């Protein structure tokens, strides 16, 4: 058993076959842009780095985070190495800021918070079929096994 940080589930499932935890890195960054003859412009942004697809998603608000205890096999291993996480986030935050504020200078980036969190999915069984349920949105997708003959 391992204790990890995860987004607090909005949808609670009483009966489930298995828990799956999908890895993200949550970050909050402060960008400061120098401007000619004006005060510096400050931009705060928060986002999630998908640790399996290496893509960044910017968010408006941060969901509640809680500690949960799970089996090691329930956690999907990240494919992004820890050494590349900061570089990927810094590049995407720079692009995000430059798209919003026009200036000649690159922004100074300060990370206020950066932590590994997981999104919880339930695997349920109804009528002999398995479904995966997103605990934040409630989306339910059927798990299908596709075989090529």
């Amino acid at each position: 058993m391992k204790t990890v940080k995860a987004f607090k589930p909005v949808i609670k499932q009483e009966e489930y076959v298995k828990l799956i935890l999908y890895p993200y890195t949550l970050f909050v960054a402060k960008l400061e842009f120098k401007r000619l003859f004006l005060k510096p412009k400050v931009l705060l942004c928060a986002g999630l780095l998908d640790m399996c697809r290496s893509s960044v998603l910017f968010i408006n608000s941060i969901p509640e985070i809680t500690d949960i205890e799970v089996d090691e096999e329930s956690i999907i291993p990240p494919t992004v190495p820890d050494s590349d996480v900061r570089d990927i986030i810094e590049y995407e935050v720079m692009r995000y800021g430059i798209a919003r504020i026009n200036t000649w200078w690159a922004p100074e980036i300060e990370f206020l918070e950066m932590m590994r969190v997981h999104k919880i999915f339930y695997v349920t069984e109804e009528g002999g079929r398995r479904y995966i349920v997103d605990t934040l949105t409630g989306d339910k997708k059927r798990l299908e096994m596709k075989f090529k003959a």
Side-chain angles (χ1 to χ4, degrees), residues 1 4 10 18 20 64 74 88 92 128 133 139 147 149:
M1 298 296 266
V4 295
V10 175
K18 186 177 181 180
I20 297 175
E64 284 186 58
S74 296
I88 293 168
E92 293 296 332
V133 180
D139 291 342
F147 298 102

Side-chain angles (χ1 to χ4, degrees), residues 30-41:
K30 175 181 156 186
L31 289 82
E32 189 170 313
F33 292 87
K34 287 199 294 186
R35 299 186 303 166
L36 195 59
F37 306 119
L38 298 170
K39 292 181 182 175
K41 186 88 167 179

